[in-house]
Amino acid sequence: MDVHRLELLRELADRGTITAVAAATHRTASAVSQQLKLLEAEAGVPLTEKEGRGIRLTGAGRALAETARRIAVAIESAEALWSEYKQTPTGTVTLSTFPTAGQMLLPGVLGALEREPALRLLVTDQDLPLADFAELTPDFDIVLADSQGVPSHWNERGLTTVHLMTEPFDVALPAGHPLLEKSVLSPADVADYPWIGAPIGYPYDRWLDALGAAVGREPRIVQRIMDNLVVEGLVAAGLGLAILPRFTTRSHGTDIATRPLVGIPAERQISALLRADRAERPSVRRVLELLRAEGERVAASHRIIGTR
């Protein structure tokens, strides 16, 4: 079977539509359809079937798409091994980041890459309406993602997940709030206050779900805001409490303070998410090394601050 046609089938499995595959591979939709029909003739069994106005993969198509993924990994692994014999990592690596991960990790990583001019990191920053970072992996070599645990659909899609760091959550309160007399807070302490929440599905929102489960009633969420700086401003104005990440909350000079939580898990994992074949590239592996090192440095620096 033609390897390039197999790759188109894999793209269809990941992207869902012929139109999306055509746009990503710089082909026309008719050219993609023609190549898939040729692949189907080579396979001798139907690989797609109609679904409404579009198509979906058959069982055989899904199995062959998974084979295509394994072939892509093997090819990248072979090329990576050969590159190691010939040269140091070179080229451009594309990376998608959400705001707070970029704030913590990118200054150190990009600074380190200044000393490696043959390797370029091209960054796109974005925050998703829904935190489904897996949808970005066809278009970026590395996707920075936050989650509580590893979502099952990341594994189901055959993606590689590289843990970079764990960041605790704290409760943010306005200056002068009576709960600031306590050094740590429990679910019962905070359950009856109004909250500035996050969009549904984000890690902060899932923590509020856990708070509700712990106390037996849903927290009162008065606003849902995506941007943490806006959240900090609303907390400072006394409009509600919020759950915020410890390392990137700018509590100094903003009329808010934070307290850690006990009684329910309060943290998020920040990971690099990528297609398994791209994880074999020397250039991508080098950027992952720098991201891991920077994640360890950031976490260690905050542990040191916390012991003072």
Side-chain angles (χ1 to χ4, degrees):
M1 294 182 188
D2 185 272
V3 173
H4 300 294
R5 291 174 191 147
L6 284 171
E7 181 60 24
L8 289 178
L9 186 69
R10 177 205 181 177
E11 291 292 340
L12 180 60
D14 284 348
R15 298 179 186 274
T17 67
I18 294 288
T19 301
V21 174
T25 60
H26 308 290
R27 293 175 169 88
T28 64
S30 60
V32 172
S33 295
Q34 183 181 23
Q35 291 298 308
L36 290 174
K37 286 179 182 177
L38 290 172
L39 180 62
E40 191 169 73
E42 291 175 341
V45 295
L47 300 178
T48 63
E49 58 188 5
K50 289 185 177 180
E51 182 180 45
R53 295 184 178 180
I55 63 172
R56 65 180 179 183
L57 296 182
T58 63
R62 291 193 296 273
L64 196 57
E66 180 58 33
T67 298
R69 288 191 183 95
R70 292 197 295 269
I71 290 172
V73 171
I75 290 172
E76 291 290 350
S77 180
E79 291 182 351
L81 181 62
W82 183 242
S83 294
E84 288 176 355
Y85 280 105
K86 295 192 302 180
Q87 60 188 20
T88 57
T90 62
T92 298
V93 174
T94 57
L95 180 145
S96 168
T97 183
F98 60 95
T100 51
Q103 179 183 338
M104 287 187 289
L105 299 175
L106 290 184
V109 169
L110 291 172
L113 286 174
E114 289 291 315
R115 299 184 290 275
E116 301 183 32
L119 183 57
R120 181 184 180 218
L121 183 62
L122 184 61
V123 175
T124 300
D125 66 311
Q126 54 195 316
D127 213 351
L128 303 180
L130 293 173
D132 191 2
F133 295 97
E135 297 300 323
L136 296 173
T137 55
D139 297 315
F140 295 92
D141 295 319
I142 299 172
V143 175
L144 297 186
D146 66 342
S147 62
Q148 291 176 294
V150 176
S152 60
H153 69 279
W154 291 3
N155 293 327
E156 291 165 1
R157 291 182 62 149
L159 298 173
T160 295
T161 304
V162 179
H163 177 76
L164 302 177
M165 61 186 296
T166 298
E167 183 176 20
F169 290 155
D170 291 330
V171 174
L173 310 99
H177 196 283
L179 287 179
L180 292 177
E181 295 179 357
K182 298 189 173 187
S183 59
V184 296
L185 300 175
S186 69
D189 291 328
V190 299
D192 294 327
Y193 289 94
W195 286 87
I196 310 299
I200 293 172
Y202 275 65
Y204 313 141
D205 178 60
R206 289 192 288 273
W207 182 88
L208 286 173
D209 289 341
L211 172 64
V215 297
R217 56 190 181 279
E218 293 185 1
R220 181 160 59 96
I221 300 174
V222 296
Q223 298 290 341
R224 290 187 180 274
I225 303 294
M226 182 182 297
D227 190 311
N228 286 355
L229 292 179
V230 176
V231 172
E232 291 180 21
L234 298 183
V235 172
L239 299 175
L241 310 186
I243 189 75
L244 287 173
R246 180 174 300 173
F247 301 160
T248 47
T249 298
R250 300 177 180 178
S251 58
H252 300 292
T254 59
D255 296 322
I256 70 171
T258 59
R259 291 292 184 269
L261 291 148
V262 295
I264 56 176
E267 63 184 25
R268 63 174 175 175
Q269 287 73 50
I270 297 177
S271 307
L273 190 63
L274 63 163
R275 283 179 165 183
D277 54 310
R278 295 182 184 177
E280 298 293 333
R281 298 178 186 174
S283 55
V284 172
R285 292 210 308 266
R286 177 57 181 151
V287 173
L288 289 173
E289 288 174 2
L290 293 173
L291 285 167
R292 279 195 298 262
E294 190 63 14
E296 291 171 359
R297 187 198 66 79
V298 170
S301 69
H302 282 273
R303 284 195 295 270
I304 292 171
I305 291 171
T307 60
R308 290 177 181 172

